[in-house]
C-alpha cells in the first residue's frame, strides 16, 4: 500500500513561499514509478496473448467439452464467435489490471468513465455491424472486441499521465512480490470460472433451447449481482487503508455498512426482477420453449440476489483485509462442493437442477465470507479481544 500512497512532508505554515508552492506543484505533477503497476501490465499482456492463442487453436475442443457436438447447429456460429472474441483477451486483461491500479489510487471514477464509453460504443456498434452490415454473430464479436480495446486505451492514456510505466530494468519489476498474491487470486478466479462454465456446459447438453434460456437468465443474474461489486470496491479501498493504519474500529464500521448496503441492494433487485423480468424476457426472444424455461429460471435469478450481493461484498472485504489465501482456498472448497451438486442435480432435475446448484454455490460463497469474520479468524482476530 505504501507504494500507492503519495508522499507528503510536514511543513509549518510560515515556511510556505511561492517557491515552495511551485516545488510542491511540480512534485504532484511528477509521474511516479510503481513496480506493481508495471508488473501487472506486463503479466496481463502475456496472459492475454496466451489466452488468445489458446482459444483460437482450441475453440472446437472447448466447445465440444461445453456440450456443443460436431453435428450441433450451434457449433459453427459458436466457434466463429469464440475465435473472434478471443482477439479481445489482451485488452480485457489489461483493462482489469489497470482498473485494479486505479482502485489502489482510490480512483473509481476513471474506470467508470472508461467502461461507460466502451460499453456505449458496443451498444452502438452491435446493431450497426449485425443488421446494417449484415455481419451477424461475427459483427457482435467484433463490436465487443473494439469496445474492450477502447476501454484499455482510455485507461492506459490516463494511467500514463500519473505513472511512469517503463521500469529502469527488468529486475525493478519485482515479479516475486506481485505473483505471491496474484497466484492466489488466479486460483480463486479459476475456481469461480470453472463453476459457471460447467453450469453452461451442462445446460448445453440439454439442448439448444435449454442453453438459450440458461444464457439469458445467467447474464441477467450476473449483471444485476455485479452491481454490488461497486460496493465491494469501495469497501475494499477503505478497509485496506484502515488495516494499514491498524484502525480496527473503522474497519468494523466499514465492513458493517457495506454489508448492510449490499443486503438492501439485493432485496431491491429481487423485487425488481420478480415484477419486471417476466415481461422483459420477451425482449430477448420470441421462442415459446425458451420463454417457458426463462420463466422457470426467473425465481432463482430473483430470489438469490441478496445472497449474491453479500457474496460479492464479502469478497471485497476479504481483499481489503489482504486475506487472499483464505479467499483462494475457501473458493476452491466451495467449487468442489458446487461441482458435485451441479453434476448430480443436472442429471436428476435438468434445467431446474442447474439453478438449484448455482443457488447452493452462491450460498456457500456467502457463508465462507461470513465465517471468516464471524469467527474472528485471520486478519479479523482482533474481534475476539
Amino acid at each position: 500500500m505504501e507504494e500507492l500512497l503519495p508522499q507528503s512532508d510536514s511543513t509549518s505554515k510560515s515556511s510556505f513561499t511561492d517557491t515552495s508552492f511551485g516545488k510542491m506543484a511540480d512534485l504532484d505533477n511528477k509521474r511516479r514509478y510503481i513496480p506493481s503497476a508495471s508488473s501487472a501490465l506486463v503479466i496481463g499482456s502475456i496472459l492475454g496473448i496466451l489466452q488468445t492463442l489458446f482459444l483460437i487453436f482450441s475453440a472446437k475442443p472447448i466447445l465440444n467439452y461445453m456440450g456443443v457436438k460436431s453435428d450441433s447447429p450451434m457449433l459453427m456460429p459458436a466457434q466463429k464467435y469464440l475465435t473472434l472474441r478471443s482477439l479481445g483477451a489482451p485488452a480485457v486483461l489489461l483493462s482489469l489490471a489497470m482498473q485494479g491500479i486505479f482502485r489502489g489510487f482510490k480512483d473509481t471514477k476513471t474506470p467508470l468513465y472508461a467502461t461507460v464509453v466502451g460499453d456505449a460504443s458496443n451498444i452502438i456498434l452491435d446493431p450497426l455491424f449485425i443488421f446494417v452490415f449484415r455481419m451477424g454473430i461475427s459483427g457482435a464479436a467484433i463490436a465487443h472486441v473494439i469496445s474492450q480495446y477502447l476501454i484499455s486505451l482510455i485507461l492506459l492514456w490516463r494511467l500514463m499521465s500519473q505513472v511512469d510505466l517503463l521500469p529502469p530494468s527488468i529486475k525493478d519489476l519485482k515479479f516475486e512480490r506481485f505473483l505471491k498474491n496474484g497466484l492466489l487470486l488466479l486460483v480463486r478466479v479459476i475456481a469461480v470460472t470453472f463453476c459457471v462454465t460447467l453450469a453452461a456446459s451442462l445446460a448445453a447438453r440439454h439442448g439448444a433451447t435449454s442453453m438459450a434460456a440458461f444464457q439469458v437468465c445467467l447474464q441477467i443474474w450476473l449483471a444485476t449481482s455485479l452491481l454490488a461489486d461497486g460496493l465491494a470496491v469501495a469497501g475494499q479501498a477503505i478497509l485496506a487503508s484502515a488495516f494499514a493504519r491498524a484502525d480496527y474500529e473503522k474497519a468494523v464500521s466499514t465492513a458493517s455498512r457495506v454489508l448492510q448496503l449490499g443486503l438492501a441492494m439485493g432485496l431491491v433487485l429481487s423485487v425488481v426482477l420478480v415484477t419486471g423480468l417476466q415481461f422483459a424476457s420477451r425482449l430477448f426472444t420470441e421462442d415459446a420453449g425458451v420463454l417457458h424455461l426463462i420463466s422457470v429460471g426467473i425465481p432463482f435469478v430473483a430470489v438469490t440476489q441478496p445472497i449474491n450481493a453479500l457474496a460479492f461484498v464479502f469478497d471485497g472485504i476479504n481483499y481489503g483485509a489482504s486475506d487472499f489465501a483464505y479467499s483462494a482456498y475457501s473458493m476452491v472448497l466451495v467449487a468442489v462442493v458446487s461441482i458435485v451438486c451441479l453434476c448430480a442435480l443436472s442429471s436428476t432435475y435438468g434445467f431446474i437442477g442447474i439453478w438449484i446448484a448455482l443457488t447452493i454455490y452462491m450460498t456457500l460463497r456467502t457463508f465462507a465470507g461470513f465465517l471468516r469474520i464471524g469467527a474472528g479468524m485471520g486478519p479479523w482476530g482482533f474481534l475476539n479481544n
Side-chain angles (χ1 to χ4, degrees), residues 19-71:
T19 303
S20 62
F21 271 121
K23 289 181 179 180
M24 289 182 66
D26 291 339
L27 182 62
D28 289 338
N29 293 328
K30 185 177 180 181
R31 294 187 303 169
R32 294 167 288 175
Y33 170 60
I34 303 175
S36 57
S38 301
S39 301
L41 296 184
V42 171
I43 294 175
S45 300
I46 294 173
L47 290 177
I49 294 172
L50 292 176
Q51 184 178 352
T52 297
L53 295 175
F54 174 75
L55 291 175
I56 289 176
F57 293 106
S58 306
K60 191 171 182 179
I62 291 174
L63 292 171
N64 287 337
Y65 168 77
M66 291 291 294
V68 184
K69 301 303 181 183
S70 300
D71 57 347

Side-chain angles (χ1 to χ4, degrees), residues 277-361:
L277 193 54
Q278 195 70 253
F279 305 99
S281 59
R282 293 188 177 276
L283 296 175
F284 299 96
T285 181
E286 295 180 356
D287 185 278
V290 175
L291 288 172
H292 171 69
L293 284 181
I294 290 176
S295 67
V296 173
I298 287 175
F300 295 99
V301 174
V303 172
T304 55
Q305 289 304 311
I307 301 173
N308 297 357
L310 289 176
F312 283 110
V313 170
F314 273 122
D315 288 344
I317 290 173
N318 286 330
Y319 296 158
S322 298
D323 202 1
F324 301 112
Y326 178 78
S327 295
Y329 299 142
S330 64
M331 189 63 237
V332 170
L333 181 59
V334 168
V336 170
V337 177
S338 301
I339 289 169
V340 173
C341 293
L342 276 167
C343 294
L345 294 173
S346 173
S347 61
T348 306
Y349 299 105
F351 184 82
I352 295 178
I354 295 174
W355 279 105
I356 294 174
L358 286 176
T359 302
I360 294 172
Y361 159 67

Side-chain angles (χ1 to χ4, degrees), residues 93-116:
L93 292 182
L94 279 175
S95 67
L96 290 175
M98 287 186 284
Q99 287 178 40
I101 295 171
F102 280 109
R103 290 177 184 179
F105 295 151
K106 294 185 179 179
D107 178 5
T108 56
K109 291 183 179 180
T110 299
L112 172 63
Y113 296 153
T115 303
V116 168

Side-chain angles (χ1 to χ4, degrees), residues 83 145 154 231 342 367:
T83 302
V145 171
I154 294 173
L231 288 175
L342 276 167
F367 176 76

Side-chain angles (χ1 to χ4, degrees), residues 198-328:
L198 178 62
S201 172
L202 294 172
R205 296 174 193 277
H206 291 289
T209 300
S210 175
M211 182 60 177
F214 177 79
Q215 282 300 320
V216 171
C217 292
L218 179 68
Q219 294 306 316
I220 296 173
W221 190 63
L222 293 176
T224 52
S225 299
L226 283 172
L227 292 174
D229 195 43
L231 288 175
V233 170
Q236 176 184 345
I238 298 173
L239 279 168
S241 178
F243 272 101
R245 297 193 303 266
D247 188 351
Y248 299 128
E249 183 178 350
K250 184 176 182 180
V252 172
S253 63
T254 299
S256 300
R257 180 56 58 88
V258 292
L259 285 171
Q260 291 168 4
L261 292 174
L263 179 59
M265 177 182 290
L267 292 172
V268 171
L269 288 173
S270 290
V271 175
V272 171
L273 291 177
V274 165
T275 56
L277 193 54
Q278 195 70 253
F279 305 99
S281 59
R282 293 188 177 276
L283 296 175
F284 299 96
T285 181
E286 295 180 356
D287 185 278
V290 175
L291 288 172
H292 171 69
L293 284 181
I294 290 176
S295 67
V296 173
I298 287 175
F300 295 99
V301 174
V303 172
T304 55
Q305 289 304 311
I307 301 173
N308 297 357
L310 289 176
F312 283 110
V313 170
F314 273 122
D315 288 344
I317 290 173
N318 286 330
Y319 296 158
S322 298
D323 202 1
F324 301 112
Y326 178 78
S327 295

